[in-house]
Amino acid sequence: MTAAPVTMPDAVDFIDVAALLTDEERLVRDTVRAFVRDRVLPNIAEWFEAGALPRDLGTQLGSLGVLGMHLEGYGCPGAGAVAYGVACLELEAGDSGVRSFASVQGSLAMYAIYRFGDEAQKRAWLPAMARGELVGCFGLSEPDFGSNPAGMRTSARRDGSDWILDGTKMWITNGSIADLAVVWAQTEDGIRGFIVPRETRGFSSSNIHRKLSLRASVTSELIFAGCRVPADALLPQGRGLGAPLACLNEARYGIVWGSMGAARSCYETALEYSKTRVQFDRPIGGYQLTQAKLVDMLLELNKGTLLALHVGRSKERGRVHPATISLAKLNNVREALQIARQARTILGANGVTLEYPVIRHMNNLESVLTYEGTSEMHTLIVGKEITGLDAFT
Ligand code: TGC
Ligand code: FAD
């Protein structure tokens, strides 16, 4: 009996990672990809240039079902980790800012309430957040405490049954468009989380301007000046720095996938360009130097996507260590940035304009390399795991 002929490898998914997805995961992929094609790609260069996102992006993403997608109940679909990862990849193939919106909403603000909130808090906030009718932000970083959140100065002190918050949070995605902020503060009982509704007196925010990265995303400063919240603003189940760090595991996981979306977009753009751009009477894709770049890009794109899938399957079995997520975030963002830079060179001068997605992704990935733990922090997290020695201080 003769074996069936082996199918030609796909020029993007060369090792056929798609074959390892379930039908449901492929449906998620196709649905989110179509959303990005129809609603994001026609407008994203304009949003990036203007430094703004449309007001109804939240409800659009809510209707798509990607906000709190991996949470269960309270209006959330309870999708698996891989389905959520695939959605992040497709969103970030559009723009890192769009994936950031979904990450901050679902993996940070909603997850904090889901994991550390009480029943009343979950019922009050999560369904409307899943629909994107309410936008949340996550305030951990401060002007003087980014990589080292343990040192945060924002404080919450008891006054009767109320709490009074004082301090400043910095670089907060969606901060000034958020209806509620999940804020982490020092208390006499260690670091605790609070839900602070937008209209609370003593809570204000302002946008950070002149960013050259992640422009299609709002980044803000949050100020708490004698901000009084009632006792039921406290997230009762989260104590210590481990609570916000547990939320970061979720968002870092989304980035492991998402960064491969930005990388894919850059690779596809460079591949197409190389086949049509003619110099010295031949398409530049016919030159060995260009092929070497394209093949290196393809290698890292396929390896990184496979790594994301493996981490996702481990997560679904409940067997993923935070340091494994660090290793994957470190690798995939670093390689995505390298792919974007290589793609940029293949596009020549066209690589520096917003007519093509490459420089937008490249600039965005500089933020992705820094937020959710810098590449240095993830190196030290993995370093500590393999040596048993803490090199942070
Ligand atoms: P350390 O003593 O190691 O740990 C304190 C407590 O936390 C526990 N823990 C974790 N728990 C869950 N998940 C993790 N990944 C955890 N890592 C540590 C740990 O077991 C301990 O628990 P306990 O019970 O013993 O108290 O803490 P450290 O102060 O030495 O710091 C460790 C370090 C440097 C790794 C941590 O501070 C860190 O990850 N720094 C980076 C900060 C960061 O990633 N910030 C991100 C801010 S949010 C953001 O960027 C959003 S961008 C969103 C977007 O737009 O997409
Ligand atoms: P720093 O911590 O000051 O680090 C500066 C440099 O020093 C880095 O290279 C770092 O790796 C290095 N470094 C620091 N300590 C060490 C050490 N021990 N050993 C070796 N090197 C070290 N935060 C939130 O809480 N919520 C958000 O929604 C959010 N959104 C963001 C959106 C954007 C666009 C950006 C850019 C940031 C956002 N952040 C958010 C903040 C982000 O998490 C921090 O920027 C990040 O954690 C790094 O902190 P930092 O910028 O203060 O840098």
Side-chain angles (χ1 to χ4, degrees):
M1 201 171 77
T2 51
V6 177
T7 49
M8 293 263 292
D10 182 82
V12 180
D13 183 13
F14 205 80
I15 57 172
D16 202 8
V17 179
L20 304 173
L21 301 177
T22 63
D23 288 346
E24 191 190 334
E25 289 157 356
R26 279 193 281 266
L27 181 64
V28 168
R29 175 196 65 189
D30 295 343
T31 307
V32 180
R33 193 179 287 186
F35 172 87
V36 168
R37 183 193 63 219
D38 298 341
R39 309 275 186 94
V40 176
L41 293 181
N43 307 305
I44 186 64
E46 204 178 299
W47 298 343
F48 188 93
E49 208 162 17
L53 281 173
R55 287 195 72 79
D56 66 346
L57 183 73
T59 47
Q60 288 191 46
L61 291 173
S63 302
L64 187 63
V66 297
L67 302 178
M69 181 177 169
H70 59 312
L71 309 181
E72 203 157 357
Y74 310 99
C76 304
V82 170
Y84 175 58
V86 166
C88 288
L89 186 151
E90 295 300 335
L91 290 174
E92 197 149 354
D95 192 83
S96 302
V98 178
R99 195 270 307 140
S100 256
F101 190 105
S103 289
V104 169
Q105 180 85 346
S107 289
L108 293 179
M110 290 176 73
Y111 183 80
I113 297 170
Y114 182 83
R115 170 96 186 260
F116 301 115
D118 61 26
E119 193 58 27
Q121 290 168 331
K122 292 180 205 183
R123 285 172 192 250
W125 298 106
L126 294 179
M129 292 176 81
R131 292 191 297 272
E133 290 162 8
L134 294 179
V135 174
C137 69
F138 184 87
L140 180 63
S141 307
E142 300 189 355
D144 294 328
F145 297 93
S147 296
N148 179 24
M152 69 174 68
R153 292 207 186 99
T154 298
S155 66
R157 65 181 164 81
R158 278 192 186 277
D159 186 34
S161 64
D162 293 346
W163 291 88
I164 313 284
L165 273 72
D166 285 285
T168 303
K169 295 292 177 182
M170 192 66 177
W171 300 110
I172 307 306
T173 299
N174 286 346
S176 62
I177 59 168
D179 300 287
L180 66 142
V182 171
V183 183
W184 301 94
Q186 299 279 8
T187 72
E188 57 185 18
D189 197 18
I191 290 173
R192 305 296 301 265
F194 297 85
I195 303 171
V196 184
R198 152 76 43 206
E199 63 278 5
T200 311
R201 190 182 296 181
F203 171 26
S204 60
S205 61
S206 60
N207 280 346
I208 297 170
H209 295 290
R210 309 182 86 178
K211 278 184 300 162
L212 295 178
S213 172
L214 222 75
R215 288 186 56 74
S217 174
V218 173
T219 317
S220 318
E221 179 182 38
L222 310 182
I223 298 168
F224 302 92
C227 175
R228 180 182 291 271
V229 290
D232 64 7
L234 175 75
L235 293 172
Q237 309 299 336
R239 283 170 196 272
L241 186 61
L245 291 180
C247 303
L248 297 189
N249 295 334
E250 299 299 306
R252 290 168 177 173
Y253 168 73
I255 291 172
V256 170
W257 282 93
S259 53
M260 288 296 105
R264 189 188 74 197
S265 168
C266 293
Y267 166 74
E268 284 179 323
T269 305
L271 179 61
E272 281 317 300
Y273 191 87
S274 75
K275 292 194 277 191
T276 54
R277 175 70 177 170
V278 173
Q279 287 294 291
F280 301 99
D281 301 325
R282 284 172 56 198
I284 59 170
Y287 295 118
Q288 291 180 3
L289 289 177
T290 309
Q291 288 194 5
K293 288 179 190 174
L294 289 167
V295 172
D296 274 349
M297 291 157 77
L298 178 68
L299 273 174
E300 296 307 332
L301 174 62
N302 280 216
K303 280 154 57 182
T305 310
L306 199 52
L307 174 61
L309 179 64
H310 175 68
V311 173
R313 293 281 180 242
S314 306
K315 193 170 189 308
E316 286 176 344
R317 290 193 299 271
R319 297 189 59 82
V320 68
H321 190 280
T324 305
I325 297 176
S326 284
L327 180 134
K329 194 232 174 202
L330 173 63
N331 181 77
N332 283 13
V333 180
R334 184 161 72 186
E335 295 307 329
L337 191 50
Q338 184 58 17
I339 288 169
R341 287 175 179 155
Q342 290 279 35
R344 225 275 321 134
T345 67
I346 291 175
L347 267 69
N350 278 319
V352 307
T353 80
L354 284 173
E355 297 305 314
Y356 293 86
V358 172
I359 197 154
R360 177 168 52 75
H361 284 307
M362 193 178 104
N363 281 7
N364 285 341
L365 286 165
E366 292 291 347
S367 285
V368 182
L369 193 72
T370 287
Y371 68 34
E372 293 291 352
T374 64
S375 46
E376 291 80 7
M377 285 302 108
H378 291 297
T379 302
L380 296 179
I381 290 168
V382 176
K384 180 179 171 188
E385 208 53 46
I386 58 176
T387 64
L389 301 169
D390 183 337
F392 293 105
T393 51

